[in-house]
Amino acid sequence: MGANGSSYPHSCSPRIGGSSQAQQTFIGTSSYSQQGYGWESKLYSLEHGHERPADRKKKSLGLATLKRRFIKRRKSSRSADHARQMRELLSGWDVRDTNALVEEYEGTAALKELSFQASLARPEAPSLQRDLAALYQHKYCTDVDLIFQGTCFPAHRAILAPRCPFFKTLLSSSPGYGAEVLMDIDTAGIDVPMFSALLHYLYTGEFGVGGAEDTRLQNVDVLVQLSEEFGTPNSLEADMKGLFDYMCYYDALLSFSSDSEMIERAAGTPDEDLRAHKAILSARSPFFRNLLQRRIRTGEEMTERTLQTPTRIVLDESIIPRKYVQVILHCMYTDVVELGLVLRGSPSAGSLGEVQALVSGSRGASTRTEEAMELYHIALFLEFSMLAQVLTLNSYQDFFFPQLYLKWRSDLLIFCLTDTIRIVNAHNKHGQCGLVYM
């Protein structure tokens, strides 16, 4: 919607109609008159015909000077002589060092292009929301059965309790694994499809795609009634972050062993175990999912349910170092890779970083690049595609290229270096220098 400028009291738009004097627009200022006791009004016309020639000339000169300054600044920022700067930098370099630097830049530019093409061809990794939707659909590692109108809904208390105050209160009265909970809902008009859509919303943060039950859940009156009984959940990201921070309702313990003979003794070190939820592990990683389902088939899961103990998963630290597990878990719960969670003070036996340190003859701390590479290989082993994809994209942008003093300027630097070599070749065409143009 536009606004008519003539409606404002100090408008600069001409008015239509009236006398010629009324059609001329002025901006008024006031100054105190020395000859009287009132205010003397001074009017300055916006029309150029009433300006003095000296004022017009001064104004035009000022604008021209300002314009030249802006143009000069823009040209200096956009067209810096990179070739001259590179020639000054490499003037004292040996020929072999210059050629090696050119090869390094060319290789890095090719690597960057390959990474870009690979990211285009790579399928998008499933997000937390998508994995939780698959978890609700396929019912992996459920620990509670909700009975509503004669229909059983296998679910996960680690998802429902943090997301919904109603389920938090309801499930606290049935803490046992595999408990059957009868649902008694006061809100009128909720049937089985609508209840299923409600659970889908708690798992994913959004209503299902299509269907009559989804249309009903988008009704404001129905949503108000459900919020009064079930409460209003936070965003899925906020609830999953809180679940990671506090690890409420955990039903899995991650233990670590560097020797197969220590697996039986690992159960005696609960302080060193890391808490987790089987629902999240099975949803984000096919490796953990297959491992947990195999325990169900062998009967180990039934024993743990009878004893009311969490499932203990023993990991070989030479394959999955303990210092990276917090980073992996954080990404599973939030889709965010936080390398600050790496336990840098505790090197893991048999890890990739240790092997590289032994080869190089040093036992110093791993660099961020080495940590990212190790995490990438661990993500491939766990089949955790989101972690692998995030590390692949961030590694090229944040780890590898800055160490080579590159990023998006690589192509420009290659041009400058080749231009420098061509100039040196031209100068030494009849001389003794044997620099070869690449």
Side-chain angles (χ1 to χ4, degrees):
M1 295 178 61
N4 189 355
S6 62
S7 62
Y8 293 94
H10 299 292
S11 171
C12 292
S13 61
R15 300 179 183 271
I16 300 177
S19 64
S20 60
Q21 295 179 354
Q23 294 180 10
Q24 194 174 11
T25 305
F26 296 95
I27 298 178
T29 60
S30 299
S31 62
Y32 187 75
S33 174
Q34 297 179 356
Q35 299 178 356
Y37 294 98
W39 290 86
E40 179 184 356
S41 177
K42 293 184 179 181
L43 299 179
Y44 297 97
S45 172
L46 295 181
E47 297 183 0
H48 296 291
H50 295 270
E51 290 185 356
R52 292 182 299 176
D55 294 339
R56 291 203 306 271
K57 184 176 181 181
K58 185 182 299 183
K59 182 184 296 184
S60 62
L61 290 176
L63 292 176
T65 304
L66 183 62
K67 182 178 181 181
R68 283 196 301 269
R69 288 180 179 177
F70 278 121
I71 293 175
K72 182 178 179 181
R73 182 177 301 175
R74 185 166 61 247
K75 285 184 176 179
S76 62
S77 62
R78 291 193 305 176
S79 58
D81 193 354
H82 297 285
R84 180 179 59 82
Q85 296 175 5
M86 292 301 300
R87 286 196 296 270
E88 294 176 356
L89 175 65
L90 303 177
S91 59
W93 282 36
D94 186 77
V95 175
R96 290 172 296 181
D97 295 337
T98 306
N99 285 333
L101 185 58
V102 172
E103 293 177 356
E104 188 75 24
Y105 282 135
E106 288 179 340
T108 307
L111 188 62
K112 181 180 179 181
E113 178 64 22
L114 288 176
S115 171
F116 176 72
Q117 296 298 332
S119 63
L120 293 179
R122 183 187 302 111
E124 184 180 0
S127 63
L128 172 65
Q129 183 184 64
R130 182 173 158 189
D131 281 337
L132 290 181
L135 177 69
Y136 174 70
Q137 179 182 359
H138 299 291
K139 317 298 183 185
Y140 302 128
C141 302
T142 58
D143 55 3
V144 63
D145 293 333
L146 305 178
I147 310 299
F148 179 71
Q149 295 183 359
T151 304
C152 179
F153 291 89
H156 308 82
R157 65 178 68 241
I159 304 295
L160 297 181
R163 296 278 291 147
C164 179
F166 173 85
F167 282 108
K168 181 178 181 180
T169 304
L170 179 66
L171 296 177
S172 62
S173 60
S174 303
Y177 290 105
E180 292 187 354
V181 180
L182 296 176
M183 298 296 302
D184 185 14
I185 300 178
D186 297 331
T187 304
I190 297 183
D191 53 11
V192 171
M194 194 172 184
F195 182 73
S196 177
L198 177 62
L199 293 180
H200 182 274
Y201 170 78
L202 294 177
Y203 273 76
T204 64
E206 64 178 10
F207 298 116
V209 182
E213 68 277 8
D214 304 329
T215 304
R216 285 181 293 166
L217 280 177
Q218 294 174 5
N219 186 287
V220 176
D221 295 334
V222 176
L223 291 177
V224 170
Q225 295 177 16
L226 291 175
S227 64
E228 291 176 354
E229 183 171 2
F230 289 89
T232 304
N234 300 317
S235 65
L236 178 65
E237 294 77 12
D239 284 335
M240 291 298 103
K241 182 62 168 61
L243 188 63
F244 169 78
D245 291 336
Y246 300 105
M247 285 297 169
C248 302
Y249 314 102
Y250 72 94
D251 55 1
L253 293 174
L254 302 181
S255 302
F256 301 88
S257 173
S258 57
D259 191 345
S260 59
E261 297 179 358
M262 296 175 59
I263 294 181
E264 297 297 332
R265 289 180 288 174
T269 57
D271 295 338
E272 299 179 2
D273 296 337
L274 294 179
R275 298 175 179 179
H277 301 89
K278 290 186 288 186
I280 302 298
L281 296 177
S282 59
R284 306 310 307 271
S285 169
F287 170 82
F288 284 115
R289 183 191 311 149
N290 296 332
L291 178 63
L292 292 171
Q293 288 180 337
R294 185 176 60 187
R295 295 174 67 93
I296 294 176
R297 290 193 299 267
T298 58
E300 298 179 57
E301 183 78 8
M302 294 302 299
T303 303
E304 293 166 350
R305 287 191 175 189
T306 303
L307 299 176
Q308 302 293 312
T309 58
T311 299
R312 185 177 300 277
I313 303 174
V314 181
L315 303 175
D316 190 347
E317 196 168 3
S318 63
I319 300 176
I320 306 177
R322 176 188 174 89
K323 67 177 184 177
Y324 295 124
V325 175
Q326 285 287 2
V327 181
I328 298 171
L329 291 177
H330 184 271
C331 186
M332 285 185 173
Y333 285 77
T334 64
D335 276 349
V336 177
V337 177
E338 181 57 65
L339 290 180
L341 297 175
V342 175
L343 302 177
R344 294 183 173 86
S346 57
S348 302
S351 65
L352 179 61
E354 183 181 3
V355 173
Q356 292 175 341
L358 291 175
V359 172
S360 61
S362 63
R363 295 300 296 266
S366 300
T367 63
R368 290 174 63 89
T369 305
E370 293 170 346
E371 292 171 353
M373 292 175 63
E374 285 194 69
L375 276 169
Y376 174 76
H377 289 288
I378 295 172
L380 294 181
F381 177 80
L382 296 176
E383 302 176 74
F384 186 14
S385 54
M386 174 58 73
L387 177 60
Q389 181 167 305
V390 173
L391 286 171
T392 301
L393 296 177
N394 290 348
S395 294
Y396 286 106
Q397 296 176 0
D398 301 332
F399 305 140
F400 300 137
F401 287 149
Q403 295 187 16
L404 298 173
Y405 305 99
L406 291 175
K407 266 189 180 177
W408 56 272
R409 290 190 176 184
S410 58
D411 295 335
L412 178 62
L413 292 175
I414 291 173
F415 168 78
C416 296
L417 286 171
T418 53
D419 182 65
T420 302
I421 295 175
R422 184 175 66 254
I423 294 174
V424 175
N425 277 331
H427 283 294
N428 297 311
K429 185 175 181 181
H430 304 289
Q432 66 280 8
C433 182
L435 182 61
V436 180
Y437 171 67
M438 299 181 62

